[in-house]
Amino acid sequence: MSGRRSSGSGTGWPKYKYNNSNEGKEENAVVQQPIERPISLYPLTNYTFGTKEPLFEKDQTVQARFQRMREEFDTGGQRRSVEGVLIVHEHGLPHVLLLQLGNTFFKLPGGELHDSEEEVDGLKRLMTETLGRQDGVQQEWVIEDCIGNWWRPNFEPPLYPYIPAHITKPKEHKKLFLVQLGEKALFAVPRNYKLVAAPLFELYDNSTGYGPVISSLPQLLSRFNFVYN
């Protein structure tokens, strides 16, 4: 069956009519409507940052980390981890909240899931452990979309946003989730970390400074419509 597209009434893509030459009549094609996901951003000055006891990694060295991953993989299989992307704005520009350890290491809040733990519940637990306040008030975490998937093919640092063709059993699966912050909040930051707000333009194409996962955030977030409050 042959056919051709012809311009329909009105403007905009992809509004058109489909002409079927065999039947000699026009049928309206399905009109695709644009999809916009509004995400509210609030000023960095709306948030208060306190401190709490240091939060230490389970492993003291990179070598120890991958040795533990190897041992756990032999017994429990692929590691699952989740991280939260928290966005504020300053001077009308989106900024991502990052945990800074030392002078050059940055990470998103999150960590490893327990066995059979659901991803959203696990992320809320990890966010509370990392940034939850200490005065007994429960922090409400609103988890929006999953915005990224990364895989670790071997017991080594490199992560990829896909599973390489020759890999049948990735060693870790990391998922990134967008967290919708409330208008105001109090965060308690572990004393051995600093919580910094990094603008998207600084992260973009800057894997040298922030690593491949964090430097990919500007592209991952570009599909959202930020509403500045």
Side-chain angles (χ1 to χ4, degrees):
M1 182 176 69
S2 62
R4 64 182 178 85
R5 291 181 180 180
S6 64
S7 299
S9 61
T11 60
W13 183 91
K15 295 180 181 179
Y16 58 81
K17 293 181 179 180
Y18 191 91
N19 291 344
N20 190 311
S21 58
N22 289 340
E23 298 178 4
K25 63 181 181 179
E26 295 183 344
E27 295 180 358
N28 289 330
V30 176
V31 176
Q32 300 291 334
Q33 298 295 335
I35 298 175
E36 290 190 356
R37 282 293 310 279
I39 299 295
S40 295
L41 302 187
Y42 300 96
L44 178 62
T45 53
N46 279 25
Y47 302 98
T48 304
F49 303 94
T51 59
K52 62 183 177 183
E53 292 302 311
L55 181 65
F56 296 106
E57 299 285 338
K58 293 182 179 180
D59 312 295
Q60 297 300 313
T61 65
V62 174
Q63 182 180 3
R65 178 188 179 195
F66 290 117
Q67 179 58 37
R68 181 171 65 86
M69 183 183 292
R70 187 184 300 275
E71 294 169 355
E72 292 177 351
F73 185 84
D74 291 339
T75 58
Q78 175 183 266
R79 173 177 294 178
R80 298 180 303 134
S81 58
V82 290
E83 294 180 342
V85 179
L86 291 70
I87 311 176
V88 299
H89 77 82
E90 192 170 19
H91 307 300
L93 296 172
H95 287 58
V96 178
L97 296 182
L98 301 174
L99 291 164
Q100 180 180 352
L101 182 63
N103 295 324
T104 59
F105 180 74
F106 299 89
K107 63 176 289 186
L108 294 165
E112 302 169 26
L113 294 174
H114 295 154
D115 292 342
S116 302
E117 186 175 28
E118 201 273 332
E119 293 169 349
V120 171
D121 291 340
L123 179 57
K124 290 181 178 180
R125 170 184 62 81
L126 290 161
M127 296 286 292
T128 298
E129 291 176 2
T130 307
L131 296 174
R133 51 198 296 171
Q134 300 290 285
D135 56 5
V137 177
Q138 184 68 30
Q139 178 75 41
E140 183 68 25
W141 304 108
V142 179
I143 312 301
E144 294 283 351
D145 292 15
C146 171
I147 62 172
N149 288 273
W150 290 78
W151 285 269
R152 190 184 307 278
N154 300 301
F155 301 108
E156 298 172 349
L159 286 162
Y160 299 89
Y162 56 87
I163 302 176
H166 63 286
I167 298 298
T168 58
K169 295 181 179 179
K171 307 308 182 286
E172 181 179 5
H173 182 194
K174 182 192 297 287
K175 299 186 76 169
L176 308 183
F177 289 88
L178 179 62
V179 180
Q180 172 67 75
L181 291 177
E183 182 177 358
K184 295 183 178 181
L186 168 64
F187 300 116
V189 184
R191 288 193 179 93
N192 55 329
Y193 285 96
K194 289 193 298 184
L195 192 64
V196 299
L200 290 189
F201 66 80
E202 185 177 310
L203 303 182
Y204 177 68
D205 199 26
N206 191 1
S207 60
T208 301
Y210 293 94
V213 177
I214 294 176
S215 65
S216 74
L217 291 177
Q219 292 95 322
L220 297 177
L221 294 169
S222 65
R223 67 187 178 94
F224 295 101
N225 176 32
F226 293 134
V227 179
Y228 298 90
N229 296 280

